[in-house]
Amino acid sequence: MRHEEQQIIHLLREGDGRAYQYLYDRYYTLLCAVACEYLGDRFLSENMVDELIFHLWEKRETLEIKASLRSYLIRAVRNRCINALQRERERREITFSAMNADEYETVPSSESGDYPLAVLLENELEGKIRQAIENLPPDSRRIFKMSRFENKPYGQIAEELGLSVSTVKYHIKNALMLLKDELQEYLR
């Protein structure tokens, strides 16, 4: 391990914000790309990387990194992605195995016109989501829309608005938390 990495790890353990900014600046894009290879979803990948770096903050005092920092972070993202995929597969298997054989053919699809109730419920949910987004605080709403609807990366949003990437991430995390709270009844 290089001396520079040892210093960064030492600063991470001490909770130095500059060390965490270094992680974002140096590894965020790479880690998101690794996560996206596993998950196939940019949004989930960014959240996975954000959670990893937050986890490093929570566990900073007991942080043990023996390999290079880059290798450690890539392995940590990889493991988190594999665990998430495993949980999702298990969830789907349980849901599918709970269905009776005669239910397989009667699962409604909102894509066909045979299930107007499904279409109605889907439209209602879309309306609730739009309203929940409009209820977000103005800065969080603007940044969330730029990220999710305009597909702009955090760095570009930060540059356009004259903010730090960390501030953009804060607003995205805040928006997601508020949306989750407001749409909780639909997330069961």
Side-chain angles (χ1 to χ4, degrees), residues 20-35:
Y20 288 91
Q21 187 63 46
Y22 174 85
L23 288 183
Y24 272 108
D25 294 343
R26 178 91 187 234
Y27 297 110
Y28 185 78
T29 303
L30 169 68
L31 297 176
C32 285
V34 169

Side-chain angles (χ1 to χ4, degrees), residues 52-70:
L52 170 65
I53 293 175
F54 184 72
H55 177 74
L56 291 175
W57 171 261
E58 289 180 318
K59 302 292 183 187
R60 65 186 175 275
E61 291 154 355
T62 59
L63 196 58
E64 289 293 325
I65 301 176
K66 299 193 187 320
S68 76
L69 184 57
R70 181 179 190 271

Side-chain angles (χ1 to χ4, degrees), residues 18-174:
R18 293 174 299 173
Y20 288 91
Q21 187 63 46
Y22 174 85
L23 288 183
Y24 272 108
D25 294 343
R26 178 91 187 234
Y27 297 110
Y28 185 78
T29 303
L30 169 68
L31 297 176
C32 285
V34 169
C36 201
E37 284 294 317
Y38 284 94
L39 303 175
D41 183 294
R42 189 179 129 231
F43 173 72
L44 292 175
S45 299
E46 290 174 354
N47 283 338
M48 183 73 64
V49 173
D50 288 341
E51 288 174 9
L52 170 65
I53 293 175
F54 184 72
H55 177 74
L56 291 175
W57 171 261
E58 289 180 318
K59 302 292 183 187
R60 65 186 175 275
E61 291 154 355
T62 59
L63 196 58
E64 289 293 325
I65 301 176
K66 299 193 187 320
S68 76
L69 184 57
R70 181 179 190 271
S71 297
Y72 175 86
L73 292 170
I74 289 172
R75 190 171 50 252
V77 165
R78 177 187 160 275
N79 291 343
R80 283 175 171 265
C81 289
I82 290 171
N83 290 341
L85 291 170
Q86 178 69 27
R87 283 190 305 272
E88 180 62 21
R89 191 184 88 221
E90 289 170 358
R91 186 189 65 77
R92 285 185 186 169
E93 287 175 359
I94 289 169
T95 302
F96 187 71
S97 66
M99 294 175 70
N100 296 324
D102 60 335
E103 291 178 305
Y104 299 152
E105 297 170 7
T106 62
V107 175
S109 169
S110 62
E111 294 175 6
S112 74
D114 297 337
Y115 298 97
L117 181 58
V119 173
L120 182 65
L121 292 174
E122 189 175 292
N123 290 339
E124 179 184 340
L125 178 57
E126 285 178 17
K128 296 278 187 186
I129 292 170
R130 276 194 297 275
Q131 185 59 48
I133 291 170
E134 292 307 312
N135 290 342
L136 292 171
D139 291 340
S140 294
R141 180 178 57 238
R142 181 175 183 198
I143 291 170
F144 180 82
K145 285 182 174 181
M146 291 173 80
S147 171
R148 297 312 187 258
F149 301 135
E150 298 173 27
N151 293 319
K152 293 183 179 181
Y154 291 171
Q156 183 180 352
I157 296 169
E159 188 176 309
E160 286 182 22
L161 299 178
L163 303 170
S164 71
V165 173
S166 298
T167 302
V168 171
K169 289 177 185 289
Y170 163 79
H171 282 290
I172 295 291
K173 198 169 214 117
N174 184 50

